[in-house]
């Protein structure tokens, strides 16, 4: 399906969208490997400097598959608490942010998993704020309108819910497999 633009406009036209779709399998594979490496590491912060992370950011602008959501919002900086206008792209469980829509590489990426929290918040001087609490840090984001705030929060919460459901399903399958293994090991009466 097509990506939903919170601005109601097409991302970069059909030619670029077609090119991105053609490259999507490459991106999807790299993103999958990257997610697996993060899942295997408890020290997520240490992976932030890895080559895989930087490679993923470098290809993001050209290779993001045509789905999910995108648009401009303001984001509070991490080290310096200034607010910057950034272009966001939600692709599955990765929320990329770029300096501008035409940027070739992302400024950063926020990983959305089963533990991510998304909630509206109040910050003096900024309307329609919400925060994303990931394993790395808390991100404060401010869209231009309350409607955009609701759309983004709903999209992000959907991803979190899907991740939680996947985790519960995986746990149930594990428990079922363990139960079957126990039954096979017990001698018949």
């Amino acid at each position: 399906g097509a990506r939903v633009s919170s601005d109601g406009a097409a991302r970069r036209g059909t030619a670029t969208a077609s090119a991105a779709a053609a490259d999507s399998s490459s991106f999807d594979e790299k993103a999958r490997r990257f997610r697996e490496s993060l899942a295997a590491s408890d020290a997520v912060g240490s992976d932030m400097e890895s080559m895989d992370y930087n490679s993923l950011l470098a290809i993001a602008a050209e290779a993001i598959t045509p789905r999910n959501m995108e648009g401009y919002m303001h984001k509070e900086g991490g080290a310096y608490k200034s607010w910057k206008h950034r272009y966001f792209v939600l692709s599955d469980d990765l929320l990329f942010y770029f300096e501008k829509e035409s940027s070739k590489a992302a400024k950063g990426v926020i990983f959305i998993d089963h533990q991510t929290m998304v909630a509206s918040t109040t910050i003096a001087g900024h309307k329609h704020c919400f925060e994303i609490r990931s394993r790395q840090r808390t991100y404060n984001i401010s869209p231009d309108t309350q409607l955009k705030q609701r759309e983004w929060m709903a999209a992000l919460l959907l991803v979190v819910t899907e991740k939680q459901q996947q985790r519960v399903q995986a746990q149930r399958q594990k428990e079922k497999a363990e139960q079957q293994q126990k039954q096979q090991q017990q001698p018949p009466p």
Side-chain angles (χ1 to χ4, degrees), residues 11 51 65 76 89 95 118 120-122 128-129 142 149 168 179 186:
R11 174 140 161 84
M51 184 62 170
T65 55
E76 184 180 37
V89 177
L95 179 59
V118 179
S120 61
T121 188
T122 303
H128 322 298
C129 292
S142 176
Q149 177 198 34
V168 167
Q179 185 179 19
Q186 292 178 354

Side-chain angles (χ1 to χ4, degrees), residues 45-165:
S46 65
D47 287 339
M48 293 300 114
E49 304 303 319
S50 72
M51 184 62 170
D52 287 339
Y53 176 78
N54 292 326
S55 297
L56 187 62
L57 293 180
I59 64 165
E62 297 176 4
I64 290 175
T65 55
R67 59 181 172 266
N68 296 327
M69 205 167 160
E70 60 187 57
Y72 280 99
M73 295 186 283
H74 290 89
K75 184 186 87 57
E76 184 180 37
Y80 302 101
K81 298 300 179 185
S82 61
W83 288 78
K84 302 284 185 179
H85 198 234
R86 297 289 184 232
Y87 191 78
F88 286 82
V89 177
L90 176 62
S91 181
D92 294 327
D93 58 353
L94 301 173
L95 179 59
F96 295 94
Y97 52 95
F98 301 83
E99 187 171 342
K100 54 188 173 187
E101 183 177 0
S102 61
S103 295
K104 295 294 180 190
K107 298 289 281 180
V109 62
I110 302 169
F111 305 94
I112 311 299
D113 66 14
H114 68 282
Q115 294 177 328
T116 303
M117 296 180 66
V118 179
S120 61
T121 188
T122 303
I123 297 175
H126 298 277
K127 293 183 178 182
H128 322 298
C129 292
F130 65 94
E131 65 182 15
I132 302 170
R133 289 185 184 213
S134 71
R135 290 193 277 171
Q136 296 83 34
R137 67 176 244 221
T138 298
Y139 299 84
N140 290 314
I141 299 174
S142 176
D144 292 335
T145 67
Q146 188 174 22
L147 177 60
K148 286 183 184 180
Q149 177 198 34
R150 289 178 183 165
E151 290 173 347
W152 277 100
M153 287 180 64
L156 292 164
L157 288 168
L158 179 62
V159 174
V160 172
T161 301
E162 288 173 354
K163 292 295 177 182
Q164 290 170 341
Q165 289 172 345

Side-chain angles (χ1 to χ4, degrees), residues 1-58:
R3 262 188 292 184
V4 176
S5 171
S6 66
D7 296 330
R11 174 140 161 84
R12 293 185 185 139
T14 53
T16 304
S18 298
D23 291 339
S24 68
S25 62
S26 168
F27 175 80
D28 288 343
E29 178 62 21
K30 289 178 182 179
R32 183 191 61 74
R33 284 197 315 261
F34 184 61
R35 285 186 197 102
E36 287 174 356
S37 71
L38 282 179
S41 171
D42 289 333
V44 175
S46 65
D47 287 339
M48 293 300 114
E49 304 303 319
S50 72
M51 184 62 170
D52 287 339
Y53 176 78
N54 292 326
S55 297
L56 187 62
L57 293 180

